[in-house]
Amino acid sequence: AFFVGRILVLYGFQSFYTVIFVAMLYSMIGLQEGVEYFLTFLALALLLGFIAVTLGYLFGTIFPTITGATSTVPMLVIPLVFFSGLFISLDNIPLYFVWMYYLSFVQYAYQILLVNEFKDKAFEPCTAQDLATPGNCPLGRCNADPFNQSLPAESCSGLLIVELLDYSIDEQYINWVILLAFWIVLIILSAFVLKRYLKS
């Protein structure tokens, strides 16, 4: 009863802060407009918040002092963020660290956010000046024959970015299930550790 009550209070506070944060942040940074995109972003932010709270609760239970918990958690979480695909793509991660990519809950969230933002987005066609300046038009001409200089540039679909990063729209449900599984496993581990701690 203590565990359930405590975790529900933590989730309540986390939900309150997350909803306020997302409501202010979403439109300020100009993310994809539409209720569906906003609700996906909010649901993901809530789920990541719940995972973070549960992870914090787990380590708070394992370590007897606050100093021990706060000094150990970054050593475990930062490598998971580093190997999530945000800084280093899966192809460039050394083979002996690939397991961290799949263990990182951040990479599943990153894929969901990226697909949510770009799946229905269309970018303005590049001008001739943009095409001539390196780095100004990273997706190129986006027409049927990108190497034919005589054809005008067309608007690019955001799906190009999703494909360039080797993500798939079809895998979004799997990413949600994996994140939910992370959360449930952390809840079970937290309850188990707390039960063992109270017995000793």
Short mmCIF file of all heavy atoms in Angstrom, two decimals, residues 63-121:
data_model
loop_
_atom_site.label_atom_id
_atom_site.label_comp_id
_atom_site.label_asym_id
_atom_site.label_seq_id
_atom_site.Cartn_x
_atom_site.Cartn_y
_atom_site.Cartn_z
N PHE A 63 20.04 2.69 -3.00
CA PHE A 63 21.16 3.34 -2.31
C PHE A 63 20.69 3.94 -0.98
O PHE A 63 19.66 4.61 -0.93
CB PHE A 63 21.78 4.42 -3.20
CG PHE A 63 22.43 3.87 -4.42
CD1 PHE A 63 21.75 3.83 -5.64
CD2 PHE A 63 23.71 3.34 -4.35
CE1 PHE A 63 22.35 3.30 -6.76
CE2 PHE A 63 24.32 2.81 -5.47
CZ PHE A 63 23.64 2.78 -6.67
N PRO A 64 21.47 3.74 0.08
CA PRO A 64 21.05 4.22 1.40
C PRO A 64 21.14 5.73 1.57
O PRO A 64 20.48 6.29 2.43
CB PRO A 64 22.01 3.50 2.35
CG PRO A 64 23.21 3.16 1.53
CD PRO A 64 22.72 2.98 0.13
N THR A 65 21.94 6.40 0.75
CA THR A 65 22.08 7.85 0.89
C THR A 65 21.72 8.53 -0.43
O THR A 65 21.83 7.95 -1.51
CB THR A 65 23.53 8.25 1.25
OG1 THR A 65 24.40 7.88 0.18
CG2 THR A 65 23.97 7.58 2.54
N ILE A 66 21.32 9.80 -0.32
CA ILE A 66 20.99 10.59 -1.51
C ILE A 66 22.24 10.79 -2.37
O ILE A 66 22.19 10.73 -3.60
CB ILE A 66 20.40 11.95 -1.10
CG1 ILE A 66 19.06 11.74 -0.42
CG2 ILE A 66 20.25 12.87 -2.29
CD1 ILE A 66 18.46 12.98 0.19
N THR A 67 23.38 10.98 -1.71
CA THR A 67 24.64 11.18 -2.44
C THR A 67 24.98 9.97 -3.30
O THR A 67 25.39 10.11 -4.46
CB THR A 67 25.79 11.44 -1.44
OG1 THR A 67 25.40 12.48 -0.56
CG2 THR A 67 27.06 11.83 -2.17
N GLY A 68 24.77 8.78 -2.76
CA GLY A 68 25.05 7.56 -3.52
C GLY A 68 24.16 7.44 -4.74
O GLY A 68 24.62 7.08 -5.83
N ALA A 69 22.88 7.76 -4.57
CA ALA A 69 21.95 7.66 -5.69
C ALA A 69 22.24 8.71 -6.75
O ALA A 69 22.29 8.40 -7.95
CB ALA A 69 20.52 7.81 -5.18
N THR A 70 22.43 9.96 -6.32
CA THR A 70 22.64 11.04 -7.31
C THR A 70 23.98 10.94 -8.02
O THR A 70 24.14 11.47 -9.12
CB THR A 70 22.51 12.43 -6.64
OG1 THR A 70 23.43 12.51 -5.54
CG2 THR A 70 21.11 12.69 -6.17
N SER A 71 24.95 10.27 -7.41
CA SER A 71 26.24 10.12 -8.10
C SER A 71 26.25 8.91 -9.02
O SER A 71 27.04 8.86 -9.97
CB SER A 71 27.37 10.03 -7.08
OG SER A 71 27.19 8.90 -6.26
N THR A 72 25.39 7.93 -8.78
CA THR A 72 25.38 6.71 -9.60
C THR A 72 24.45 6.81 -10.80
O THR A 72 24.78 6.33 -11.88
CB THR A 72 24.97 5.49 -8.74
OG1 THR A 72 25.81 5.44 -7.59
CG2 THR A 72 25.09 4.21 -9.51
N VAL A 73 23.30 7.43 -10.63
CA VAL A 73 22.32 7.49 -11.71
C VAL A 73 22.88 8.12 -12.98
O VAL A 73 22.70 7.56 -14.07
CB VAL A 73 21.02 8.21 -11.24
CG1 VAL A 73 20.10 8.49 -12.41
CG2 VAL A 73 20.31 7.36 -10.19
N PRO A 74 23.58 9.27 -12.92
CA PRO A 74 24.13 9.83 -14.17
C PRO A 74 25.10 8.89 -14.88
O PRO A 74 25.13 8.85 -16.11
CB PRO A 74 24.85 11.10 -13.72
CG PRO A 74 24.18 11.48 -12.45
CD PRO A 74 23.79 10.19 -11.79
N MET A 75 25.86 8.10 -14.11
CA MET A 75 26.81 7.17 -14.74
C MET A 75 26.09 6.08 -15.52
O MET A 75 26.63 5.52 -16.47
CB MET A 75 27.71 6.53 -13.68
CG MET A 75 28.72 7.49 -13.09
SD MET A 75 29.96 6.67 -12.07
CE MET A 75 28.97 5.99 -10.76
N LEU A 76 24.85 5.79 -15.15
CA LEU A 76 24.08 4.77 -15.86
C LEU A 76 23.22 5.37 -16.97
O LEU A 76 23.06 4.77 -18.02
CB LEU A 76 23.19 4.02 -14.87
CG LEU A 76 23.94 3.24 -13.79
CD1 LEU A 76 22.96 2.72 -12.75
CD2 LEU A 76 24.72 2.09 -14.40
N VAL A 77 22.67 6.55 -16.74
CA VAL A 77 21.72 7.14 -17.69
C VAL A 77 22.43 7.84 -18.85
O VAL A 77 21.99 7.73 -20.00
CB VAL A 77 20.76 8.10 -16.96
CG1 VAL A 77 19.88 8.84 -17.94
CG2 VAL A 77 19.90 7.34 -15.96
N ILE A 78 23.52 8.55 -18.60
CA ILE A 78 24.19 9.31 -19.66
C ILE A 78 24.67 8.40 -20.80
O ILE A 78 24.47 8.75 -21.97
CB ILE A 78 25.33 10.18 -19.09
CG1 ILE A 78 24.71 11.35 -18.31
CG2 ILE A 78 26.24 10.70 -20.19
CD1 ILE A 78 25.68 12.22 -17.56
N PRO A 79 25.27 7.23 -20.54
CA PRO A 79 25.61 6.36 -21.68
C PRO A 79 24.39 5.91 -22.47
O PRO A 79 24.46 5.77 -23.70
CB PRO A 79 26.29 5.15 -21.01
CG PRO A 79 26.81 5.68 -19.73
CD PRO A 79 25.83 6.72 -19.29
N LEU A 80 23.25 5.72 -21.79
CA LEU A 80 22.03 5.33 -22.51
C LEU A 80 21.57 6.45 -23.44
O LEU A 80 21.09 6.21 -24.54
CB LEU A 80 20.91 4.96 -21.53
CG LEU A 80 21.16 3.72 -20.67
CD1 LEU A 80 19.99 3.49 -19.72
CD2 LEU A 80 21.40 2.49 -21.52
N VAL A 81 21.72 7.68 -23.00
CA VAL A 81 21.36 8.83 -23.84
C VAL A 81 22.38 8.97 -24.97
O VAL A 81 22.01 9.20 -26.13
CB VAL A 81 21.30 10.13 -22.99
CG1 VAL A 81 21.13 11.35 -23.89
CG2 VAL A 81 20.19 10.05 -21.97
N PHE A 82 23.64 8.81 -24.65
CA PHE A 82 24.71 8.97 -25.64
C PHE A 82 24.57 7.97 -26.78
O PHE A 82 24.80 8.31 -27.95
CB PHE A 82 26.07 8.82 -24.95
CG PHE A 82 27.22 9.22 -25.81
CD1 PHE A 82 27.44 10.55 -26.13
CD2 PHE A 82 28.08 8.27 -26.33
CE1 PHE A 82 28.51 10.93 -26.94
CE2 PHE A 82 29.15 8.63 -27.13
CZ PHE A 82 29.36 9.96 -27.44
N PHE A 83 24.19 6.74 -26.47
CA PHE A 83 24.07 5.69 -27.50
C PHE A 83 22.63 5.50 -27.96
O PHE A 83 22.27 4.43 -28.43
CB PHE A 83 24.64 4.37 -26.98
CG PHE A 83 26.12 4.40 -26.79
CD1 PHE A 83 26.68 4.40 -25.53
CD2 PHE A 83 26.96 4.44 -27.88
CE1 PHE A 83 28.05 4.43 -25.35
CE2 PHE A 83 28.35 4.48 -27.72
CZ PHE A 83 28.89 4.48 -26.45
N SER A 84 21.80 6.53 -27.85
CA SER A 84 20.39 6.40 -28.22
C SER A 84 20.14 6.67 -29.70
O SER A 84 19.02 6.54 -30.17
CB SER A 84 19.54 7.38 -27.39
OG SER A 84 19.88 8.71 -27.71
N GLY A 85 21.16 7.08 -30.44
CA GLY A 85 20.99 7.40 -31.85
C GLY A 85 20.89 8.89 -32.09
O GLY A 85 20.90 9.33 -33.24
N LEU A 86 20.80 9.67 -31.04
CA LEU A 86 20.72 11.12 -31.19
C LEU A 86 22.08 11.71 -31.54
O LEU A 86 22.20 12.56 -32.41
CB LEU A 86 20.19 11.73 -29.89
CG LEU A 86 20.02 13.24 -29.84
CD1 LEU A 86 19.03 13.71 -30.89
CD2 LEU A 86 19.56 13.68 -28.46
N PHE A 87 23.13 11.23 -30.88
CA PHE A 87 24.48 11.74 -31.12
C PHE A 87 25.26 10.86 -32.09
O PHE A 87 26.06 11.35 -32.88
CB PHE A 87 25.25 11.84 -29.80
CG PHE A 87 24.60 12.77 -28.81
CD1 PHE A 87 24.00 12.27 -27.68
CD2 PHE A 87 24.59 14.13 -29.03
CE1 PHE A 87 23.40 13.11 -26.77
CE2 PHE A 87 23.98 14.99 -28.13
CZ PHE A 87 23.38 14.47 -27.00
N ILE A 88 25.06 9.55 -31.98
CA ILE A 88 25.77 8.59 -32.84
C ILE A 88 24.73 7.67 -33.45
O ILE A 88 23.93 7.07 -32.73
CB ILE A 88 26.77 7.74 -32.02
CG1 ILE A 88 27.75 8.62 -31.25
CG2 ILE A 88 27.52 6.78 -32.91
CD1 ILE A 88 28.62 7.84 -30.29
N SER A 89 24.75 7.54 -34.77
CA SER A 89 23.79 6.63 -35.41
C SER A 89 24.17 5.18 -35.11
O SER A 89 25.32 4.88 -34.77
CB SER A 89 23.75 6.86 -36.92
OG SER A 89 24.98 6.49 -37.49
N LEU A 90 23.21 4.30 -35.25
CA LEU A 90 23.43 2.88 -34.95
C LEU A 90 24.60 2.32 -35.77
O LEU A 90 25.39 1.52 -35.28
CB LEU A 90 22.15 2.08 -35.21
CG LEU A 90 22.22 0.58 -34.97
CD1 LEU A 90 22.60 0.27 -33.52
CD2 LEU A 90 20.90 -0.09 -35.32
N ASP A 91 24.72 2.75 -37.02
CA ASP A 91 25.81 2.26 -37.89
C ASP A 91 27.19 2.64 -37.37
O ASP A 91 28.17 1.95 -37.65
CB ASP A 91 25.65 2.81 -39.31
CG ASP A 91 24.37 2.32 -39.97
OD1 ASP A 91 23.87 1.26 -39.55
OD2 ASP A 91 23.87 3.01 -40.87
N ASN A 92 27.28 3.74 -36.63
CA ASN A 92 28.58 4.22 -36.15
C ASN A 92 28.89 3.82 -34.71
O ASN A 92 29.96 4.16 -34.20
CB ASN A 92 28.65 5.75 -36.27
CG ASN A 92 28.64 6.19 -37.71
OD1 ASN A 92 29.19 5.53 -38.57
ND2 ASN A 92 27.99 7.30 -37.99
N ILE A 93 27.96 3.14 -34.06
CA ILE A 93 28.21 2.68 -32.69
C ILE A 93 29.11 1.45 -32.75
O ILE A 93 28.82 0.52 -33.51
CB ILE A 93 26.90 2.36 -31.95
CG1 ILE A 93 26.06 3.63 -31.78
CG2 ILE A 93 27.16 1.73 -30.59
CD1 ILE A 93 24.69 3.40 -31.18
N PRO A 94 30.20 1.41 -31.99
CA PRO A 94 31.05 0.22 -31.99
C PRO A 94 30.24 -1.03 -31.60
O PRO A 94 29.31 -0.95 -30.79
CB PRO A 94 32.10 0.53 -30.91
CG PRO A 94 32.11 2.01 -30.80
CD PRO A 94 30.71 2.47 -31.11
N LEU A 95 30.62 -2.16 -32.19
CA LEU A 95 29.86 -3.40 -32.02
C LEU A 95 29.69 -3.78 -30.55
O LEU A 95 28.63 -4.26 -30.15
CB LEU A 95 30.58 -4.52 -32.77
CG LEU A 95 29.81 -5.82 -32.93
CD1 LEU A 95 28.50 -5.59 -33.69
CD2 LEU A 95 30.66 -6.86 -33.63
N TYR A 96 30.71 -3.53 -29.73
CA TYR A 96 30.63 -3.91 -28.32
C TYR A 96 29.73 -2.98 -27.50
O TYR A 96 29.48 -3.24 -26.34
CB TYR A 96 32.03 -3.99 -27.69
CG TYR A 96 32.95 -2.85 -28.04
CD1 TYR A 96 32.95 -1.68 -27.29
CD2 TYR A 96 33.80 -2.95 -29.14
CE1 TYR A 96 33.79 -0.63 -27.61
CE2 TYR A 96 34.65 -1.90 -29.47
CZ TYR A 96 34.64 -0.74 -28.70
OH TYR A 96 35.46 0.29 -29.02
N PHE A 97 29.22 -1.87 -28.10
CA PHE A 97 28.30 -0.98 -27.41
C PHE A 97 26.89 -1.01 -28.00
O PHE A 97 26.01 -0.28 -27.55
CB PHE A 97 28.80 0.46 -27.42
CG PHE A 97 29.89 0.75 -26.44
CD1 PHE A 97 31.01 1.46 -26.83
CD2 PHE A 97 29.78 0.34 -25.12
CE1 PHE A 97 32.02 1.73 -25.93
CE2 PHE A 97 30.78 0.61 -24.22
CZ PHE A 97 31.90 1.31 -24.61
N VAL A 98 26.66 -1.82 -29.02
CA VAL A 98 25.35 -1.86 -29.69
C VAL A 98 24.24 -2.25 -28.71
O VAL A 98 23.12 -1.75 -28.81
CB VAL A 98 25.39 -2.81 -30.90
CG1 VAL A 98 24.01 -3.10 -31.43
CG2 VAL A 98 26.24 -2.21 -32.00
N TRP A 99 24.54 -3.11 -27.74
CA TRP A 99 23.52 -3.53 -26.77
C TRP A 99 22.96 -2.33 -26.00
O TRP A 99 21.79 -2.33 -25.61
CB TRP A 99 24.11 -4.56 -25.80
CG TRP A 99 25.26 -4.05 -24.99
CD1 TRP A 99 26.58 -4.05 -25.32
CD2 TRP A 99 25.20 -3.43 -23.69
NE1 TRP A 99 27.34 -3.48 -24.33
CE2 TRP A 99 26.53 -3.10 -23.32
CE3 TRP A 99 24.16 -3.14 -22.82
CZ2 TRP A 99 26.82 -2.49 -22.10
CZ3 TRP A 99 24.46 -2.52 -21.62
CH2 TRP A 99 25.78 -2.20 -21.26
N MET A 100 23.79 -1.28 -25.82
CA MET A 100 23.31 -0.09 -25.10
C MET A 100 22.27 0.66 -25.93
O MET A 100 21.37 1.28 -25.37
CB MET A 100 24.47 0.84 -24.76
CG MET A 100 25.40 0.25 -23.73
SD MET A 100 26.71 1.37 -23.29
CE MET A 100 25.89 2.34 -22.06
N TYR A 101 22.39 0.59 -27.24
CA TYR A 101 21.40 1.23 -28.12
C TYR A 101 20.02 0.62 -27.89
O TYR A 101 19.03 1.33 -27.76
CB TYR A 101 21.84 1.07 -29.58
CG TYR A 101 20.85 1.59 -30.59
CD1 TYR A 101 20.81 2.93 -30.92
CD2 TYR A 101 19.97 0.71 -31.23
CE1 TYR A 101 19.90 3.40 -31.86
CE2 TYR A 101 19.07 1.18 -32.17
CZ TYR A 101 19.03 2.52 -32.48
OH TYR A 101 18.13 2.98 -33.41
N TYR A 102 19.98 -0.70 -27.84
CA TYR A 102 18.69 -1.39 -27.67
C TYR A 102 18.18 -1.32 -26.23
O TYR A 102 16.99 -1.45 -25.99
CB TYR A 102 18.80 -2.84 -28.15
CG TYR A 102 19.01 -2.92 -29.64
CD1 TYR A 102 20.27 -3.21 -30.17
CD2 TYR A 102 17.98 -2.64 -30.52
CE1 TYR A 102 20.47 -3.25 -31.54
CE2 TYR A 102 18.18 -2.68 -31.89
CZ TYR A 102 19.42 -2.99 -32.39
OH TYR A 102 19.62 -3.02 -33.74
N LEU A 103 19.08 -1.13 -25.29
CA LEU A 103 18.69 -1.01 -23.89
C LEU A 103 18.25 0.41 -23.53
O LEU A 103 17.63 0.64 -22.50
CB LEU A 103 19.85 -1.43 -23.00
CG LEU A 103 19.55 -1.65 -21.52
CD1 LEU A 103 18.56 -2.80 -21.35
CD2 LEU A 103 20.82 -1.93 -20.76
N SER A 104 18.54 1.36 -24.39
CA SER A 104 18.24 2.77 -24.12
C SER A 104 16.78 3.08 -24.42
O SER A 104 16.36 3.04 -25.58
CB SER A 104 19.14 3.67 -24.97
OG SER A 104 18.74 5.00 -24.84
N PHE A 105 16.01 3.41 -23.38
CA PHE A 105 14.62 3.80 -23.61
C PHE A 105 14.54 5.13 -24.36
O PHE A 105 13.54 5.44 -25.00
CB PHE A 105 13.83 3.86 -22.30
CG PHE A 105 14.36 4.84 -21.29
CD1 PHE A 105 13.95 6.15 -21.30
CD2 PHE A 105 15.26 4.44 -20.32
CE1 PHE A 105 14.42 7.06 -20.37
CE2 PHE A 105 15.75 5.34 -19.38
CZ PHE A 105 15.33 6.65 -19.41
N VAL A 106 15.61 5.91 -24.32
CA VAL A 106 15.64 7.22 -25.00
C VAL A 106 15.53 7.04 -26.51
O VAL A 106 14.86 7.83 -27.18
CB VAL A 106 16.92 7.99 -24.63
CG1 VAL A 106 16.99 9.32 -25.36
CG2 VAL A 106 17.00 8.21 -23.13
N GLN A 107 16.15 6.01 -27.07
CA GLN A 107 16.14 5.87 -28.52
C GLN A 107 14.75 5.52 -29.04
O GLN A 107 14.37 5.93 -30.13
CB GLN A 107 17.19 4.85 -28.99
CG GLN A 107 16.94 3.42 -28.64
CD GLN A 107 16.43 2.60 -29.82
OE1 GLN A 107 16.06 3.14 -30.85
NE2 GLN A 107 16.36 1.31 -29.63
N TYR A 108 13.96 4.79 -28.27
CA TYR A 108 12.60 4.47 -28.70
C TYR A 108 11.74 5.75 -28.69
O TYR A 108 10.94 5.97 -29.59
CB TYR A 108 11.99 3.40 -27.81
CG TYR A 108 12.79 2.11 -27.85
CD1 TYR A 108 13.63 1.76 -26.81
CD2 TYR A 108 12.72 1.27 -28.96
CE1 TYR A 108 14.38 0.60 -26.85
CE2 TYR A 108 13.48 0.11 -29.01
CZ TYR A 108 14.31 -0.22 -27.96
OH TYR A 108 15.05 -1.36 -28.01
N ALA A 109 11.94 6.58 -27.66
CA ALA A 109 11.23 7.86 -27.58
C ALA A 109 11.66 8.79 -28.71
O ALA A 109 10.84 9.48 -29.31
CB ALA A 109 11.48 8.50 -26.23
N TYR A 110 12.95 8.80 -29.00
CA TYR A 110 13.49 9.64 -30.07
C TYR A 110 12.87 9.27 -31.41
O TYR A 110 12.48 10.15 -32.20
CB TYR A 110 15.01 9.49 -30.10
CG TYR A 110 15.71 10.25 -31.20
CD1 TYR A 110 15.58 11.63 -31.31
CD2 TYR A 110 16.51 9.59 -32.12
CE1 TYR A 110 16.22 12.33 -32.32
CE2 TYR A 110 17.16 10.28 -33.13
CZ TYR A 110 17.01 11.65 -33.21
OH TYR A 110 17.66 12.34 -34.22
N GLN A 111 12.73 7.98 -31.67
CA GLN A 111 12.11 7.54 -32.92
C GLN A 111 10.66 7.99 -33.01
O GLN A 111 10.19 8.45 -34.05
CB GLN A 111 12.19 6.02 -33.05
CG GLN A 111 13.57 5.51 -33.37
CD GLN A 111 13.59 4.02 -33.63
OE1 GLN A 111 12.67 3.50 -34.25
NE2 GLN A 111 14.60 3.34 -33.14
N ILE A 112 9.92 7.85 -31.91
CA ILE A 112 8.51 8.25 -31.90
C ILE A 112 8.39 9.74 -32.17
O ILE A 112 7.57 10.17 -32.98
CB ILE A 112 7.85 7.88 -30.54
CG1 ILE A 112 7.73 6.36 -30.41
CG2 ILE A 112 6.48 8.53 -30.42
CD1 ILE A 112 7.33 5.89 -29.03
N LEU A 113 9.21 10.55 -31.49
CA LEU A 113 9.15 11.99 -31.68
C LEU A 113 9.52 12.40 -33.10
O LEU A 113 8.88 13.26 -33.70
CB LEU A 113 10.08 12.70 -30.69
CG LEU A 113 9.58 12.83 -29.27
CD1 LEU A 113 10.63 13.51 -28.41
CD2 LEU A 113 8.28 13.60 -29.22
N LEU A 114 10.56 11.79 -33.63
CA LEU A 114 11.02 12.14 -34.97
C LEU A 114 9.96 11.81 -36.02
O LEU A 114 9.66 12.63 -36.88
CB LEU A 114 12.32 11.40 -35.27
CG LEU A 114 13.05 11.95 -36.48
CD1 LEU A 114 14.49 12.26 -36.11
CD2 LEU A 114 13.00 10.99 -37.62
N VAL A 115 9.37 10.63 -35.93
CA VAL A 115 8.33 10.25 -36.89
C VAL A 115 7.10 11.13 -36.70
O VAL A 115 6.48 11.57 -37.68
CB VAL A 115 7.99 8.75 -36.76
CG1 VAL A 115 6.76 8.40 -37.58
CG2 VAL A 115 9.17 7.90 -37.19
N ASN A 116 6.73 11.42 -35.46
CA ASN A 116 5.59 12.28 -35.18
C ASN A 116 5.77 13.66 -35.81
O ASN A 116 4.83 14.25 -36.34
CB ASN A 116 5.38 12.41 -33.67
CG ASN A 116 4.14 13.20 -33.31
OD1 ASN A 116 3.05 12.88 -33.74
ND2 ASN A 116 4.31 14.23 -32.51
N GLU A 117 6.98 14.18 -35.77
CA GLU A 117 7.26 15.52 -36.29
C GLU A 117 7.35 15.55 -37.81
O GLU A 117 6.88 16.49 -38.45
CB GLU A 117 8.56 16.06 -35.68
CG GLU A 117 8.95 17.42 -36.15
CD GLU A 117 7.94 18.52 -35.83
OE1 GLU A 117 7.14 18.35 -34.88
OE2 GLU A 117 7.95 19.53 -36.53
N PHE A 118 7.93 14.53 -38.43
CA PHE A 118 8.26 14.62 -39.85
C PHE A 118 7.38 13.80 -40.79
O PHE A 118 7.43 14.01 -41.99
CB PHE A 118 9.72 14.22 -40.08
CG PHE A 118 10.69 15.21 -39.53
CD1 PHE A 118 11.48 14.89 -38.45
CD2 PHE A 118 10.79 16.47 -40.07
CE1 PHE A 118 12.37 15.81 -37.93
CE2 PHE A 118 11.68 17.40 -39.57
CZ PHE A 118 12.48 17.07 -38.49
N LYS A 119 6.55 12.89 -40.30
CA LYS A 119 5.83 11.98 -41.20
C LYS A 119 4.90 12.71 -42.17
O LYS A 119 4.74 12.28 -43.31
CB LYS A 119 5.07 10.92 -40.41
CG LYS A 119 3.91 11.44 -39.60
CD LYS A 119 3.19 10.34 -38.87
CE LYS A 119 2.08 10.91 -38.01
NZ LYS A 119 1.38 9.89 -37.28
N ASP A 120 4.29 13.80 -41.75
CA ASP A 120 3.35 14.52 -42.61
C ASP A 120 3.86 15.91 -42.99
O ASP A 120 3.09 16.74 -43.47
CB ASP A 120 1.99 14.65 -41.92
CG ASP A 120 1.35 13.30 -41.66
OD1 ASP A 120 1.46 12.42 -42.53
OD2 ASP A 120 0.76 13.12 -40.58
N LYS A 121 5.11 16.16 -42.78
CA LYS A 121 5.67 17.50 -43.04
C LYS A 121 6.18 17.60 -44.48
O LYS A 121 6.67 16.63 -45.03
CB LYS A 121 6.81 17.77 -42.06
CG LYS A 121 7.12 19.22 -41.87
CD LYS A 121 8.04 19.40 -40.68
CE LYS A 121 8.16 20.84 -40.31
NZ LYS A 121 7.31 21.25 -39.25
#
